[in-house]
C-alpha cells in the first residue's frame, strides 16, 4: 500500500517490457490503466481466500439467515476491498505520471499493493504529495462509503458491506500514515526531513530508522493489544495475532532496510558514468584477420575493438563473447567482421551520460557492447555491459563502483 522508488534497484539491462521481463513470477496481468500494467501476484489469492473465510464467519453473526450465501457476500467484500487498494495505488500512479516519473507497474499482493515508481521525486514537496495521495484517496473512499451507509439499513447485506468497506479504507489510510518506511507515512516523514535539511539521504535515514522502530512496535504491541482488548481469546486466536504481528513487522523492517539501501545506491549512481566505464579501444577494418586485431589490442593494452569502414567511420563493434568462442588456431583465418555486431541507433552512447540516465539508455537498447562518443561524435572507446553490471553491483554493496582496471586513463 505504498509507492516504491525502484529505479535504483533494477539491474542495468532489465528492459522495460511489462508483459515479459517485468512480469512478477506467477503474476496475472489484470489491465493497463493509464498505461501502467496491474498485476495480481499468487499471494493475493491466498489472502482473498482468507478474507472470504474470516469475513464469512463474521457475517454469520450479524446476518445468520444467509447460510452458505454469506461466503459469496464475503468474496464480494474481498474483491471490493482490493479494488479500494487498487484505487489507492492508482492515486500514487496518476500523481507520479503528472510529475513525469515513470511507473513500472502496480502489484496487488499479500499485504495490499505497491506502485513501482522508477525515478526519484524531483523535490521534497513532490515526494510528500506523491506519498500522501494514496492515504488521502483511501480517506475519501472511506468517506464515500460512510455517506452511502446513511441510505441503507444497517442489518442488511448492503449495510454490512458498506460498513466494512468504510472501516477497511479508514484502517488502510491510518496504517499507511504511520511514520516509517516503507509506508506512505514514512515517505512523508522523509520529505519533511529532506525539506528541513536539504538532504534527501538524511530524510531516508530518519524514515528508515523510524520504520525499524515501528516494526518492533508492531511485533510487540499488536498481540499485546489483542490480548488486552479481548482477554477471553483462545490460544489459536492469540497465536494468529502473534503471527500476523511478526509478518507485518518483518515486512516493515525489510522494506525500511531496502529503502535505505536503494537511497545509498542512488547516492553512488552519479559515479556510474560512461566516461569512467569506457574501455580503451583500437580501430580496425572489417577485413582485418582476427588474430592481427587481437595482437593490436594487446599491444595497445586496450580492451575493445571498433570496426571501421575504409574512411575510418565506426560501423560495428567486435563482440567479446564471440571472440572467446573462436579457438586460437582459427583466429588467423577469420576476419574481424565475422565476430562483430553492426552499430544500431541505440549502440552509440554519449560520454556525458551518467547515473540513471546512463542506465535508462542501456535499458532502451540492450546490447553487450556500446560505442562511446564525445560531444562532437568522435569515438572514445567501448562500453561493455558487463562492466556496467559489475559497477552497479559494487555500488549496491556500498563499494567504489568504478574499479581502476576499467578506466581508460
Amino acid at each position: 500500500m505504498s509507492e516504491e522508488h525502484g529505479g535504483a534497484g533494477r539491474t542495468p539491462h532489465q528492459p522495460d517490457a511489462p508483459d515479459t521481463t517485468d512480469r512478477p513470477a506467477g503474476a496475472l496481468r489484470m489491465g493497463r490503466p493509464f498505461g501502467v500494467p496491474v498485476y495480481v501476484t499468487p499471494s493475493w489469492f491466498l489472502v482473498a481466500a482468507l478474507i472470504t473465510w474470516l469475513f464469512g464467519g463474521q457475517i454469520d453473526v450479524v446476518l445468520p439467515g444467509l447460510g452458505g450465501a454469506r461466503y459469496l457476500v464475503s468474496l464480494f467484500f474481498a474483491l471490493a476491498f482490493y479494488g479500494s487498494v487498487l484505487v489507492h495505488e492508482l492515486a500514487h500512479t496518476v500523481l507520479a505520471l503528472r510529475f513525469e516519473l515513470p511507473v513500472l507497474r502496480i502489484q496487488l499482493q499479500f499485504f495490499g499493493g505497491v506502485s513501482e515508481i522508477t525515478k526519484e521525486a524531483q523535490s521534497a514537496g513532490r515526494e510528500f504529495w506523491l506519498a500522501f495521495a494514496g492515504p488521502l484517496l483511501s480517506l475519501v473512499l472511506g468517506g464515500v462509503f460512510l455517506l452511502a451507509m446513511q441510505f441503507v439499513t444497517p442489518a442488511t447485506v448492503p449495510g454490512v458491506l458498506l460498513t466494512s468497506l468504510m472501516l477497511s479504507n479508514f484502517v488502510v489510510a491510518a496504517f499507511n500514515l504511520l511514520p516509517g518506511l516503507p509506508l506512505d507515512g514514512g515517505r512523508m516523514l522523509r520529505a519533511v526531513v529532506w525539506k528541513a535539511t536539504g538532504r534527501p539521504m538524511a530524510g531516508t535515514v530518519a524514515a528508515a530508522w523510524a520504520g525499524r522502530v515501528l516494526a518492533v512496535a508492531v511485533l510487540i504491541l499488536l498481540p499485546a493489544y489483542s490480548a488486552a482488548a479481548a482477554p477471553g481469546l483462545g490460544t489459536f486466536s492469540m497465536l494468529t495475532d502473534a503471527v500476523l504481528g511478526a509478518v507485518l513487522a518483518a515486512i516493515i523492517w525489510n522494506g525500511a532496510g531496502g529503502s535505505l539501501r536503494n537511497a545509498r545506491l542512488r547516492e553512488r549512481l552519479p559515479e556510474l558514468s560512461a566516461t569512467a566505464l569506457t574501455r580503451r579501444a583500437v580501430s580496425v577494418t572489417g577485413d582485418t584477420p582476427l588474430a592481427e586485431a587481437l595482437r593490436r589490442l594487446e599491444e595497445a593494452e586496450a580492451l575493445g575493438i571498433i570496426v571501421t569502414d575504409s574512411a575510418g567511420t565506426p560501423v560495428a563493434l567486435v563482440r567479446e563473447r564471440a571472440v572467446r568462442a573462436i579457438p586460437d588456431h582459427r583466429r588467423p583465418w577469420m576476419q574481424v567482421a565475422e565476430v562483430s555486431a553492426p552499430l544500431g541507433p541505440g549502440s552509440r552512447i554519449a560520454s556525458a551520460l551518467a547515473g540513471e540516465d546512463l542506465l535508462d539508455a542501456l535499458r532502451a537498447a540492450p546490447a553487450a557492447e556500446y560505442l562511446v562518443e564525445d560531444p562532437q561524435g568522435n569515438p572514445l572507446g567501448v562500453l561493455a555491459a558487463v562492466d556496467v553490471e559489475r559497477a552497479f553491483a559494487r555500488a549496491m554493496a556500498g563499494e567504489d563502483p568504478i574499479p581502476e582496471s576499467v578506466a581508460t586513463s
Side-chain angles (χ1 to χ4, degrees):
M1 299 174 187
S2 62
E3 77 275 22
E4 174 181 283
H5 296 300
R10 299 176 61 204
T11 54
H13 281 280
Q14 184 178 355
D16 294 325
D19 294 330
T20 54
T21 306
D22 287 334
R23 182 192 295 270
L28 299 176
R29 200 187 81 175
M30 305 305 293
R32 290 179 61 91
F34 305 101
V36 177
V38 176
Y39 293 102
V40 174
T41 63
S43 63
W44 177 87
F45 294 96
L46 175 63
V47 177
L50 183 62
I51 291 174
T52 301
W53 176 55
L54 293 175
F55 191 62
Q58 294 175 355
I59 290 178
D60 194 40
V61 176
V62 181
L63 302 171
L66 284 180
R70 68 183 185 273
Y71 290 108
L72 289 177
V73 176
S74 183
L75 177 60
F76 179 84
F77 167 74
L79 295 174
F81 169 68
Y82 270 93
S84 299
V85 172
L86 176 58
V87 171
H88 174 113
E89 296 305 325
L90 285 173
H92 292 308
T93 294
V94 169
L95 198 56
L97 295 175
R98 183 176 179 83
F99 290 159
E100 298 183 349
L101 300 174
V103 183
L104 176 65
R105 62 193 172 194
I106 295 173
Q107 289 192 65
L108 298 180
Q109 52 191 13
F110 191 74
F111 273 106
V114 175
S115 303
E116 298 188 31
I117 302 168
T118 60
K119 279 189 182 295
E120 185 79 6
Q122 299 94 328
S123 67
R126 289 191 171 189
E127 171 79 352
F128 183 90
W129 285 108
L130 188 59
F132 186 47
L136 178 61
L137 204 53
S138 291
L139 288 172
V140 170
L141 283 175
V144 170
F145 290 126
L146 177 61
L147 179 63
M149 286 169 54
Q150 312 310 310
F151 302 96
V152 299
T153 304
T156 61
V157 169
V160 170
L161 285 174
L162 288 172
T163 301
S164 301
L165 288 170
M166 178 269 293
L167 291 173
S168 62
N169 274 280
F170 283 151
V171 168
V172 166
F175 180 72
N176 274 279
L177 286 172
L178 292 174
L181 288 173
L183 302 176
D184 296 324
R187 298 202 174 278
M188 293 165 67
L189 173 62
R190 174 182 184 268
V192 170
V193 177
W194 176 0
K195 181 69 173 179
T197 64
R199 295 176 54 238
M201 189 62 186
T204 301
V205 171
W209 279 105
R212 288 170 171 172
V213 171
L214 179 62
V216 174
V218 168
L219 178 64
I220 297 173
L221 296 180
L222 182 61
Y225 173 79
S226 298
L233 285 176
T235 304
F236 177 76
S237 296
M238 293 180 64
L239 180 61
T240 300
D241 289 337
V243 170
L244 177 61
V247 172
L248 277 173
I251 290 174
I252 295 172
W253 182 280
N254 291 333
S259 297
L260 191 57
R261 285 191 298 273
N262 280 344
R264 286 173 177 161
L265 173 60
R266 281 194 295 272
E267 278 200 326
R268 306 301 299 267
L269 275 184
E271 300 174 35
L272 286 176
S273 68
T275 299
L277 287 167
T278 298
R279 295 179 171 187
R280 183 182 291 109
V282 296
S283 297
V284 299
T285 57
D287 58 359
T288 303
L290 179 58
E292 171 61 18
L294 294 176
R295 186 194 67 77
R296 296 184 193 178
L297 185 76
E298 184 177 357
E299 185 179 73
E301 297 182 349
L303 294 172
I305 301 176
I306 301 171
V307 183
T308 66
D309 59 18
S310 57
T313 303
V315 294
L317 296 175
V318 170
R319 296 175 296 157
E320 183 178 356
R321 182 177 297 180
V323 172
R324 290 179 178 176
I326 306 300
D328 290 347
H329 69 273
R330 292 186 55 198
R331 293 177 178 178
W333 314 107
M334 295 190 65
Q335 293 185 344
V336 165
E338 297 178 66
V339 289
S340 301
L343 289 172
S347 301
R348 301 172 186 269
I349 298 293
S351 60
L353 288 180
E356 291 195 27
D357 291 336
L358 174 61
L359 298 183
D360 288 343
L362 303 191
R363 290 186 192 120
E369 289 91 11
Y370 301 85
L371 178 67
V372 181
E373 298 178 329
D374 66 14
Q376 289 72 43
N378 301 313
L380 294 179
V382 173
L383 176 67
V386 65
D387 290 339
V388 180
E389 290 163 358
R390 287 170 182 163
F392 188 84
R394 289 171 65 89
M396 288 192 70
E399 303 173 7
D400 183 357
I402 311 297
E404 293 182 4
S405 60
V406 173
T408 57
S409 59

